[in-house]
Amino acid sequence: MNERILIIEDEEDLVKGLKINLVDEGYEVDYALDGKVGLKKALSEKPDLILLDIMLPGMNGLEVCKELRRENMDIPILMLTAKGEEIDKVIGLEMGADDYISKPFSIRELLARIKAHLRRENRSGETISGLVQLETIKIDFEHYKVIRKDVEIDLTSLEVDVLRFLIQQDGKVVTRDELLDKIWGYEKFPTTRTIDNHILKLRKKIEVDPNHPRHILTVYGGGYRFVR
Ligand code: CA
């Protein structure tokens, strides 16, 4: 089946152009010119990826993004930002957007990003083992260690499980409930607060600056997201 993309954007000419190009690439495309309509369509149609403008009538793109994550939609969301919306990009990522592209963008660039996100989506589920090199640290899953600036820090087996699970989601938002379910199991009855505390500890071990995490990001209203 073809992958489905939903465009939520109020510039009709841009929507038309995007649609032609995306259909050409073999995607099924639907669109909404209004934030509220877009949100409804996203929830009912469950597309594989969403292109989301920020300034929209009805409901702005940031709100739409936040709502989608609150509803546990974990598909890739690419924000389309206009010039002067630099701050919105940051908020967008905090709201759970996966990526953003600034207008005017080249269609080739956009298609490349869409492909990369959809590929990543299909790939998640791979088992991670051995050594994983991230931007600022190395994680040694075999020996339960983090290597940060040549210093080795021990990880507990629980921390290894949490890290592995987060990394395997490949940038997708992981809710606290999911973590409870997948890592702790329900037999120990931990609370979501327990999870937040564990994440704090884990950040102290793996983040260069735990107060401004680079790898384990908090997603407002959603949970956590791991960025390599
Ligand atoms: Ca707009």
Side-chain angles (χ1 to χ4, degrees):
M1 219 172 73
N2 291 344
E3 284 168 307
R4 291 170 305 128
I5 296 178
L6 175 64
I7 308 168
I8 308 177
E9 161 69 70
D10 62 332
E11 281 168 56
E12 283 199 63
D13 288 344
L14 179 57
V15 172
K16 259 187 226 162
L18 284 175
K19 196 176 169 191
I20 290 168
N21 280 285
L22 291 170
V23 168
D24 224 39
E25 289 292 309
Y27 298 111
E28 260 178 57
V29 180
D30 195 4
Y31 65 90
L33 302 169
D34 168 287
K36 270 190 189 152
V37 177
L39 176 64
K40 245 185 228 161
K41 278 197 174 181
L43 292 173
S44 62
E45 293 171 7
K46 303 200 178 348
D48 297 298
L49 183 143
I50 296 176
L51 297 177
L52 180 59
D53 183 27
I54 292 184
M55 295 296 287
L56 284 166
M59 187 181 199
N60 77 47
L62 298 172
E63 289 292 320
V64 172
C65 188
K66 199 166 92 182
E67 275 307 308
L68 289 172
R69 293 315 188 202
R70 191 176 287 157
E71 296 284 340
N72 287 326
M73 280 211 77
D74 56 5
I75 53 160
I77 298 177
L78 268 75
M79 302 286 270
L80 308 174
T81 65
K83 249 196 178 149
E85 291 177 342
E86 305 293 311
I87 294 166
D88 289 343
K89 278 182 201 168
V90 178
I91 300 171
L93 292 176
E94 280 172 8
M95 296 286 176
D98 293 279
D99 201 357
Y100 53 80
I101 188 159
S102 302
K103 296 180 199 172
F105 47 78
S106 86
I107 191 76
R108 275 179 60 191
E109 164 81 11
L110 180 70
L111 289 174
R113 300 250 199 121
I114 288 174
K115 263 189 204 136
H117 281 284
L118 289 173
R119 201 166 48 223
R120 189 174 304 157
E121 201 68 4
N122 295 333
R123 215 182 39 198
S124 62
E126 265 175 37
T127 309
I128 288 171
S129 57
L131 269 180
V132 173
Q133 174 74 56
L134 304 175
E135 196 181 271
T136 58
I137 52 164
K138 221 183 314 183
I139 303 171
D140 184 346
F141 279 104
E142 204 180 332
H143 301 102
Y144 289 23
K145 278 180 202 313
V146 167
I147 299 114
R148 200 177 77 193
K149 290 182 181 164
D150 296 328
V151 178
E152 286 191 1
I153 303 158
D154 289 326
L155 294 170
T156 66
S157 66
L158 187 66
E159 286 167 342
V160 167
D161 288 344
V162 171
L163 266 180
R164 183 181 282 133
F165 182 68
L166 284 173
I167 293 175
Q168 272 170 9
Q169 305 314 303
D170 224 346
K172 273 199 293 184
V173 178
V174 176
T175 64
R176 292 176 178 82
D177 281 341
E178 243 175 297
L179 277 172
L180 274 177
D181 190 22
K182 296 271 160 53
I183 308 297
W184 275 263
Y186 281 113
E187 76 274 13
K188 280 185 184 162
F189 305 109
T191 61
T192 46
R193 190 70 220 146
T194 314
I195 294 195
D196 292 341
N197 287 334
H198 273 279
I199 295 286
L200 282 181
K201 275 190 215 154
L202 198 48
R203 276 184 181 144
K204 281 187 186 142
K205 291 190 178 180
I206 75 159
E207 300 284 357
V208 174
D209 178 0
N211 293 321
H212 299 94
R214 158 72 186 76
H215 296 294
I216 304 178
L217 307 185
T218 302
V219 177
Y220 180 79
Y224 295 103
R225 189 156 87 88
F226 196 92
V227 176
R228 283 165 176 261

